[in-house]
Amino acid sequence: MLKQRVVTAVIAGLVVLFVLLFAGLTGWRCLVWVATLAGVYEFCQMFGQRWFDPAAWFGAIAITLADWFPRQAFHPFLLFLAVAVVFALPVFTRRPNDLRTYAVTAFGAFYLAAGGASLIGLRALPDGWFWIWLFLISAWMSDTAAYFVGRFIQGPKLLPAISPKKTVSGALGGLAGAVVGAVVFGEIAKRESNAWVLAAVGLLVALTGQVGDLVESAYKRAAGVKDSGRMLPGHGGVLDRIDSLLFAAPFALWFISGVLNGWM
């Protein structure tokens, strides 16, 4: 299992590295779209929806529109119409018992699509190469530090009812690891960067990423599954690997493009 995890992680890391270095914004948009779409299908399948069911189609549409809307004149009616169609389908097909499942999957589609669109938005920012690398390194350092600190120190569980293996020490270690990773990368890649701003970005990414991981764990428990899928040997599903990224990305995009407002 460990060998599988390492091989899968290395291959996935090389793909991301290649796309970021050589494929530009278009390549990154395609990679994020495919990964997010896989996550949406896994989310739908966890709650009994098959890949060809309307709720899954809605997920694919939501991903595309979430990236398209910010670059167009958005009208709230379009969003309402899309949601109305999805929720009306089980009524007019005489399957009203599906309403609860449709509500969950439609919400999940929007939540995941917003994360995917924000990952694309980070790369599309001015100096986007710097921001997307800062974001990813913060997230990776948070996961790595949380894993090793949690195993070494152990101690009280964070939320055992949702994720039995996560500890308070691991969560704190993840926050510290993200801050260190963000500051070190920022100082190397962009020496005029404000260390406090870098630390704030790293802390935000780690905090929201950990919340995102817990959110997906809660959904998996509600669905009665251990992993979101089997696409990644040794890791489970795609959603198991990108859940924290998709949850943290909208917060990071908001903070960098709005709150910082030219501090760096």
Side-chain angles (χ1 to χ4, degrees):
M1 181 65 71
L2 179 59
K3 183 178 179 180
Q4 277 188 331
R5 287 179 66 89
V6 171
V7 171
T8 302
V10 169
I11 293 174
L14 289 175
V15 170
V16 172
L17 182 64
F18 176 83
V19 171
L20 285 174
L21 291 178
F22 303 109
L25 178 58
T26 300
W28 178 248
R29 175 174 278 115
C30 292
L31 177 63
V32 170
W33 193 89
V34 170
T36 310
L37 180 60
V40 167
Y41 283 143
E42 288 178 349
F43 189 90
C44 290
Q45 287 175 347
M46 283 196 300
F47 291 94
Q49 297 293 313
R50 296 161 294 182
W51 68 268
F52 52 82
D53 284 336
W57 301 349
F58 177 66
I61 295 170
I63 297 168
T64 305
L65 295 184
D67 181 37
W68 179 76
F69 275 146
R71 296 178 283 118
Q72 305 292 334
F74 171 68
H75 197 297
F77 174 74
L78 297 177
L79 180 61
F80 172 78
L81 180 62
V83 175
V85 169
V86 171
F87 281 100
L89 280 174
V91 176
F92 291 103
T93 56
R94 298 184 180 182
R95 296 170 60 188
N97 292 335
D98 288 350
L99 279 173
R100 181 177 298 178
T101 300
Y102 269 59
V104 172
T105 50
F107 173 79
F110 270 115
Y111 139 60
L112 297 172
S118 297
L119 282 174
I120 296 170
L122 284 170
R123 179 62 181 85
L125 289 172
D127 217 2
W129 68 270
F130 174 79
W131 293 119
I132 193 63
W133 274 112
L134 181 67
F135 174 83
L136 292 176
I137 288 173
S138 298
W140 291 334
M141 285 293 294
S142 175
D143 288 344
T144 303
Y147 175 78
F148 285 106
V149 171
R151 287 197 63 179
F152 181 74
I153 298 179
Q154 297 185 7
K157 300 296 183 181
L158 184 63
L159 284 173
I162 295 176
S163 186
K165 294 183 179 180
K166 287 184 172 58
T167 61
V168 174
S169 62
L172 295 176
L175 297 179
V179 169
V180 171
V183 172
V184 170
F185 169 75
E187 292 297 329
I188 292 174
K190 196 173 182 182
R191 295 188 180 277
E192 69 273 15
S193 301
N194 185 314
W196 290 106
V197 172
L198 294 171
V201 173
L203 184 64
L204 178 66
V205 171
L207 184 60
T208 54
Q210 289 183 19
V211 173
D213 195 34
L214 290 170
V215 167
E216 202 230 340
S217 294
Y219 273 107
K220 286 191 293 186
R221 283 193 168 274
V225 298
K226 181 179 181 293
D227 298 317
S228 64
R230 300 179 180 178
M231 292 187 187
L232 300 178
H235 290 265
V238 173
L239 189 55
D240 292 320
R241 294 299 91 201
I242 65 173
D243 54 352
S244 59
L245 297 179
L246 294 177
F247 197 91
F251 293 95
L253 181 61
W254 160 76
F255 186 73
I256 293 169
S257 62
V259 177
L260 291 186
N261 196 25
W263 285 5
M264 300 183 66

